[in-house]
Amino acid sequence: MRVRPIEEADRLVVGRLIVDLWGASTVVAHGQTFYPISLPGLLAERGGKVIGLLTYTRTGQTLEIVTLAALNRGRGVGTALVEAVARTARRVGCERLLITTTNDNLDALRFCQRRGFRLCGLRPDAVSRARQSNPEIRLVGEYGITVRDELDLERPVLARR
C-alpha cells in the first residue's frame, strides 16, 4: 500500500469518491460546509487503484480530518491514512488532530478511539440543524440509529496511540 498526497490530477476521482461515499459533494460539520474535492488530503493506493481517502483542513494549531474512508475496512488503510496525516500535522507544527462524526457512527467512534483519539465535544441536534442547509443528510444511519448529534474527537499529534 502506498499513501500519497492528493494531486490536482486526482480531483475528479476524489470528487466521485466523496459523492459515492457521502451522498453529496459537501460535508457539513460544526456549522461549517466543507468542499472536500478542493481540500488537501491523502490517497491510499494498492496496485495503482485508490483504496482509501482522507481530506483535511488546518485552522491554527489544529489539523481537522474532514473525510476519512477505507474502501475495504479492516485492512489497515484507515490507520495508514491517519498516521500519515499525523506526520503531516507534526511537520507543519500543529498540536492536535480533530475529527467530527455523528452519533450513529459507532464504527468510526471505535476506530478513532483505538487510534488514540479522545472524545472532546458534543453538539446535540447539530445534524438536525445541518439538514436545513443540506437536506441530503440521511435521517437514519448505521445500525438504525437516528442521526442527530455531532461528536468531536481529538488526538495530540505528538502522542503515538
PDB file of all heavy atoms in Angstrom, residues 88-101:
ATOM      1  N   THR A  88       2.019  14.633   8.852  1.00  0.00           N
ATOM      2  CA  THR A  88       1.850  15.931   8.188  1.00  0.00           C
ATOM      3  C   THR A  88       1.593  17.018   9.225  1.00  0.00           C
ATOM      4  O   THR A  88       2.186  18.097   9.169  1.00  0.00           O
ATOM      5  CB  THR A  88       0.676  15.869   7.182  1.00  0.00           C
ATOM      6  OG1 THR A  88       0.995  14.915   6.173  1.00  0.00           O
ATOM      7  CG2 THR A  88       0.406  17.227   6.553  1.00  0.00           C
ATOM      8  N   ALA A  89       0.711  16.739  10.170  1.00  0.00           N
ATOM      9  CA  ALA A  89       0.385  17.718  11.216  1.00  0.00           C
ATOM     10  C   ALA A  89       1.624  18.089  12.026  1.00  0.00           C
ATOM     11  O   ALA A  89       1.857  19.274  12.300  1.00  0.00           O
ATOM     12  CB  ALA A  89      -0.707  17.161  12.127  1.00  0.00           C
ATOM     13  N   ARG A  90       2.416  17.104  12.399  1.00  0.00           N
ATOM     14  CA  ARG A  90       3.645  17.384  13.143  1.00  0.00           C
ATOM     15  C   ARG A  90       4.596  18.253  12.318  1.00  0.00           C
ATOM     16  O   ARG A  90       5.178  19.207  12.824  1.00  0.00           O
ATOM     17  CB  ARG A  90       4.352  16.077  13.529  1.00  0.00           C
ATOM     18  CG  ARG A  90       3.815  15.438  14.788  1.00  0.00           C
ATOM     19  CD  ARG A  90       4.711  14.327  15.302  1.00  0.00           C
ATOM     20  NE  ARG A  90       4.712  13.153  14.441  1.00  0.00           N
ATOM     21  CZ  ARG A  90       3.776  12.215  14.436  1.00  0.00           C
ATOM     22  NH1 ARG A  90       2.746  12.303  15.239  1.00  0.00           N
ATOM     23  NH2 ARG A  90       3.865  11.175  13.638  1.00  0.00           N
ATOM     24  N   ARG A  91       4.722  17.901  11.045  1.00  0.00           N
ATOM     25  CA  ARG A  91       5.642  18.621  10.162  1.00  0.00           C
ATOM     26  C   ARG A  91       5.259  20.099  10.011  1.00  0.00           C
ATOM     27  O   ARG A  91       6.125  20.960   9.914  1.00  0.00           O
ATOM     28  CB  ARG A  91       5.683  17.928   8.799  1.00  0.00           C
ATOM     29  CG  ARG A  91       6.767  18.440   7.886  1.00  0.00           C
ATOM     30  CD  ARG A  91       6.936  17.643   6.609  1.00  0.00           C
ATOM     31  NE  ARG A  91       5.729  17.612   5.799  1.00  0.00           N
ATOM     32  CZ  ARG A  91       4.944  16.535   5.623  1.00  0.00           C
ATOM     33  NH1 ARG A  91       5.248  15.378   6.197  1.00  0.00           N
ATOM     34  NH2 ARG A  91       3.871  16.598   4.876  1.00  0.00           N
ATOM     35  N   VAL A  92       3.946  20.405  10.009  1.00  0.00           N
ATOM     36  CA  VAL A  92       3.521  21.808   9.834  1.00  0.00           C
ATOM     37  C   VAL A  92       3.269  22.507  11.167  1.00  0.00           C
ATOM     38  O   VAL A  92       2.796  23.638  11.195  1.00  0.00           O
ATOM     39  CB  VAL A  92       2.278  21.914   8.912  1.00  0.00           C
ATOM     40  CG1 VAL A  92       2.597  21.353   7.535  1.00  0.00           C
ATOM     41  CG2 VAL A  92       1.050  21.256   9.519  1.00  0.00           C
ATOM     42  N   GLY A  93       3.598  21.843  12.279  1.00  0.00           N
ATOM     43  CA  GLY A  93       3.532  22.479  13.583  1.00  0.00           C
ATOM     44  C   GLY A  93       2.187  22.468  14.277  1.00  0.00           C
ATOM     45  O   GLY A  93       1.963  23.272  15.182  1.00  0.00           O
ATOM     46  N   CYS A  94       1.296  21.593  13.869  1.00  0.00           N
ATOM     47  CA  CYS A  94       0.002  21.501  14.555  1.00  0.00           C
ATOM     48  C   CYS A  94       0.147  20.760  15.881  1.00  0.00           C
ATOM     49  O   CYS A  94       1.016  19.902  16.038  1.00  0.00           O
ATOM     50  CB  CYS A  94      -1.021  20.780  13.679  1.00  0.00           C
ATOM     51  SG  CYS A  94      -1.583  21.786  12.292  1.00  0.00           S
ATOM     52  N   GLU A  95      -0.727  21.086  16.813  1.00  0.00           N
ATOM     53  CA  GLU A  95      -0.702  20.463  18.131  1.00  0.00           C
ATOM     54  C   GLU A  95      -1.657  19.284  18.248  1.00  0.00           C
ATOM     55  O   GLU A  95      -1.481  18.426  19.097  1.00  0.00           O
ATOM     56  CB  GLU A  95      -1.067  21.498  19.202  1.00  0.00           C
ATOM     57  CG  GLU A  95      -0.048  22.606  19.318  1.00  0.00           C
ATOM     58  CD  GLU A  95      -0.467  23.679  20.309  1.00  0.00           C
ATOM     59  OE1 GLU A  95      -1.560  23.579  20.910  1.00  0.00           O
ATOM     60  OE2 GLU A  95       0.316  24.634  20.468  1.00  0.00           O
ATOM     61  N   ARG A  96      -2.714  19.272  17.401  1.00  0.00           N
ATOM     62  CA  ARG A  96      -3.692  18.199  17.541  1.00  0.00           C
ATOM     63  C   ARG A  96      -4.385  17.903  16.219  1.00  0.00           C
ATOM     64  O   ARG A  96      -4.453  18.734  15.328  1.00  0.00           O
ATOM     65  CB  ARG A  96      -4.741  18.541  18.591  1.00  0.00           C
ATOM     66  CG  ARG A  96      -5.694  19.635  18.153  1.00  0.00           C
ATOM     67  CD  ARG A  96      -6.727  19.948  19.226  1.00  0.00           C
ATOM     68  NE  ARG A  96      -7.718  20.890  18.699  1.00  0.00           N
ATOM     69  CZ  ARG A  96      -8.984  20.885  19.025  1.00  0.00           C
ATOM     70  NH1 ARG A  96      -9.443  19.998  19.890  1.00  0.00           N
ATOM     71  NH2 ARG A  96      -9.813  21.763  18.508  1.00  0.00           N
ATOM     72  N   LEU A  97      -4.892  16.682  16.152  1.00  0.00           N
ATOM     73  CA  LEU A  97      -5.800  16.273  15.085  1.00  0.00           C
ATOM     74  C   LEU A  97      -7.205  16.347  15.650  1.00  0.00           C
ATOM     75  O   LEU A  97      -7.423  16.053  16.830  1.00  0.00           O
ATOM     76  CB  LEU A  97      -5.544  14.824  14.661  1.00  0.00           C
ATOM     77  CG  LEU A  97      -4.214  14.485  14.013  1.00  0.00           C
ATOM     78  CD1 LEU A  97      -4.135  12.979  13.760  1.00  0.00           C
ATOM     79  CD2 LEU A  97      -4.041  15.252  12.725  1.00  0.00           C
ATOM     80  N   LEU A  98      -8.156  16.698  14.827  1.00  0.00           N
ATOM     81  CA  LEU A  98      -9.562  16.746  15.219  1.00  0.00           C
ATOM     82  C   LEU A  98     -10.358  16.021  14.148  1.00  0.00           C
ATOM     83  O   LEU A  98     -10.053  16.138  12.962  1.00  0.00           O
ATOM     84  CB  LEU A  98     -10.037  18.196  15.323  1.00  0.00           C
ATOM     85  CG  LEU A  98     -11.514  18.422  15.677  1.00  0.00           C
ATOM     86  CD1 LEU A  98     -11.774  18.045  17.126  1.00  0.00           C
ATOM     87  CD2 LEU A  98     -11.904  19.865  15.412  1.00  0.00           C
ATOM     88  N   ILE A  99     -11.359  15.271  14.569  1.00  0.00           N
ATOM     89  CA  ILE A  99     -12.276  14.633  13.630  1.00  0.00           C
ATOM     90  C   ILE A  99     -13.672  14.711  14.226  1.00  0.00           C
ATOM     91  O   ILE A  99     -13.848  14.604  15.440  1.00  0.00           O
ATOM     92  CB  ILE A  99     -11.867  13.179  13.304  1.00  0.00           C
ATOM     93  CG1 ILE A  99     -12.701  12.622  12.146  1.00  0.00           C
ATOM     94  CG2 ILE A  99     -11.916  12.285  14.540  1.00  0.00           C
ATOM     95  CD1 ILE A  99     -12.142  11.351  11.540  1.00  0.00           C
ATOM     96  N   THR A 100     -14.653  14.954  13.378  1.00  0.00           N
ATOM     97  CA  THR A 100     -16.045  15.025  13.800  1.00  0.00           C
ATOM     98  C   THR A 100     -16.799  13.886  13.154  1.00  0.00           C
ATOM     99  O   THR A 100     -16.622  13.610  11.967  1.00  0.00           O
ATOM    100  CB  THR A 100     -16.675  16.371  13.375  1.00  0.00           C
ATOM    101  OG1 THR A 100     -15.950  17.427  14.006  1.00  0.00           O
ATOM    102  CG2 THR A 100     -18.142  16.456  13.790  1.00  0.00           C
ATOM    103  N   THR A 101     -17.637  13.232  13.930  1.00  0.00           N
ATOM    104  CA  THR A 101     -18.503  12.185  13.393  1.00  0.00           C
ATOM    105  C   THR A 101     -19.896  12.373  13.976  1.00  0.00           C
ATOM    106  O   THR A 101     -20.148  13.317  14.718  1.00  0.00           O
ATOM    107  CB  THR A 101     -17.930  10.778  13.664  1.00  0.00           C
ATOM    108  OG1 THR A 101     -18.664   9.815  12.904  1.00  0.00           O
ATOM    109  CG2 THR A 101     -17.970  10.422  15.145  1.00  0.00           C
TER     110      THR A 101
END
